[in-house]
Amino acid sequence: MTQHLSSTQSIPEVTAIPRHVAIIVDGNGRWASKRMMPRVVGHSEGLGAVRKIVQECRRIGVEYLTVFAFSSENWRRPPEEVGFLMKLFLKSLKGEVSRLAENDICLRLIGDLSRFDGAIQEMVEFSEKRTAGCKALTFTIAANYGGRWDILQAMQRCLAVSPNLKPEDVNEDLLQPHLSMAYAPEPDLFIRTGGEQRISNFLLWQLAYTELYFTDVLWPDFDEAELHKAFDWFSQRERRFGRTSAQLASPALSDAV
Ligand code: IPE
Ligand code: IPE
Ligand code: MG
């Protein structure tokens, strides 16, 4: 497995197109309610937007796209809505996996999948295997995912492999390989649609130095043009990773770590 260094340990390469984009796809329910339709219609529409954004990321050379589809807190929603989301999840996996493979897109799931029913778990396993050799884009779906869960499960796995771990031995390098996204660099750009400016327990560890972009656009309306707006905004950020602007202007001033 490729190991990626942490942004707090070393300065990542800064690229014009973000290597890793992480999105909280929010606003499906409000999109539907505004049209006097049941909330779940918004989820179906939202799936169309996911499809568009996956293809666009693939086209322009984003290497990793991660979408928060269902949080560990979303089980608190009404059972009918949760049930609909589960059906949609299964249906979309079945419907999309061949197209992903044909487009050289590798699908991965992060989150505690044990709470999903057997059919979903089997389909996830099948989809991951079917696209495992694909290289152009890694598309990760976070499902029953929570950032705190991720850090805790990583710590548990550390202790499982090294039961005699001493407090002074605990460091980032030890934990990082056990985090669910150890296969990817940390996100360069985070996008949240739907107007809220919060992280909602998404990738808490991995977002340490990510540029955060918030838009009022509701997810089903988020299209290629909106993605490019986010990229334009991203390209104007000065990613300092703790250094000063003067150091960025003349690298000779920094003893890069
Ligand atoms: C995001 O849209 C999709 C999921 C959480 C599955 P919402 O369903 O949260 O839509 P709003 O925020 O209620 O409009
Ligand atoms: C966050 O959306 C999680 C997903 C998009 C899956 P929510 O709409 O559930 O977030 P909060 O609870 O309003 O912050
Ligand atoms: Mg929401």
Side-chain angles (χ1 to χ4, degrees):
M1 188 195 292
T2 319
Q3 293 281 313
H4 289 283
L5 292 171
S6 143
S7 56
T8 53
Q9 302 292 294
S10 69
I11 299 163
E13 189 195 349
V14 173
T15 51
I17 295 283
R19 287 185 70 196
H20 184 175
V21 179
I23 311 184
I24 296 189
V25 298
D26 198 17
N28 291 351
R30 279 165 285 161
W31 184 93
S33 302
K34 264 176 44 184
R35 289 164 177 76
M36 311 295 194
M37 293 191 285
R39 288 177 52 83
V40 293
V41 176
H43 296 316
S44 299
E45 283 296 318
L47 180 61
V50 171
R51 223 179 260 129
K52 274 188 207 162
I53 297 309
V54 170
Q55 287 307 331
E56 187 62 3
C57 285
R58 160 81 176 84
R59 194 184 70 78
I60 59 179
V62 169
E63 292 170 59
Y64 298 88
L65 170 67
T66 303
V67 165
F68 203 7
F70 193 84
S71 74
S72 41
E73 291 70 37
N74 286 144
W75 297 106
R76 296 172 180 152
R77 293 193 176 194
E80 312 78 60
E81 182 169 339
V82 171
F84 181 91
L85 285 167
M86 292 303 137
K87 278 200 202 110
L88 188 67
F89 186 29
L90 185 59
K91 198 173 118 193
S92 58
L93 283 175
K94 283 184 180 162
E96 304 292 329
V97 65
S98 297
R99 190 169 5 176
L100 292 174
E102 280 157 23
N103 285 290
D104 199 23
I105 299 170
C106 172
L107 181 71
R108 303 199 57 156
L109 269 290
I110 55 166
D112 180 4
L113 298 180
S114 66
R115 195 158 166 194
F116 293 112
D117 75 31
I120 292 183
Q121 292 187 37
E122 276 166 32
M123 195 57 213
V124 165
E125 206 188 319
F126 171 81
S127 310
E128 287 189 327
K129 277 202 186 124
R130 173 91 168 76
T131 62
C134 297
K135 295 264 180 288
L137 169 70
T138 299
F139 171 40
T140 302
I141 299 175
N144 193 22
Y145 178 87
R148 291 187 179 178
W149 164 84
D150 196 359
I151 296 167
L152 290 173
Q153 68 80 31
M155 199 60 235
Q156 285 168 351
R157 282 161 58 176
C158 269
L159 288 167
V161 290
S162 321
N164 301 319
L165 201 62
K166 296 198 196 74
E168 60 271 27
D169 295 334
V170 176
N171 58 39
E172 286 198 23
D173 291 341
L174 197 84
L175 197 74
Q176 203 274 343
H178 299 290
L179 290 164
S180 348
M181 293 220 76
Y183 57 87
E186 292 171 8
D188 303 291
L189 173 64
F190 161 97
I191 299 172
R192 182 171 186 146
T193 60
E196 309 297 350
Q197 302 201 354
R198 55 183 177 242
I199 304 288
S200 300
N201 198 17
F202 194 23
L203 301 160
L204 298 180
W205 178 281
Q206 297 85 345
L207 293 175
Y209 258 117
T210 304
E211 301 298 330
L212 307 177
Y213 177 84
F214 298 95
T215 170
D216 289 338
V217 173
L218 302 173
W219 177 249
D221 291 328
F222 193 87
D223 58 10
E224 295 86 345
E226 291 298 335
L227 183 68
H228 283 279
K229 273 191 211 165
F231 286 173
D232 290 346
W233 174 88
F234 173 78
S235 68
Q236 279 155 38
R237 307 272 57 80
E238 185 179 71
R239 304 195 72 194
R240 291 191 288 275
F241 297 102
R243 295 162 294 175
T244 65
S245 293
Q247 283 175 300
L248 288 183
S250 76
L253 293 175
S254 52
D255 286 316
V257 184

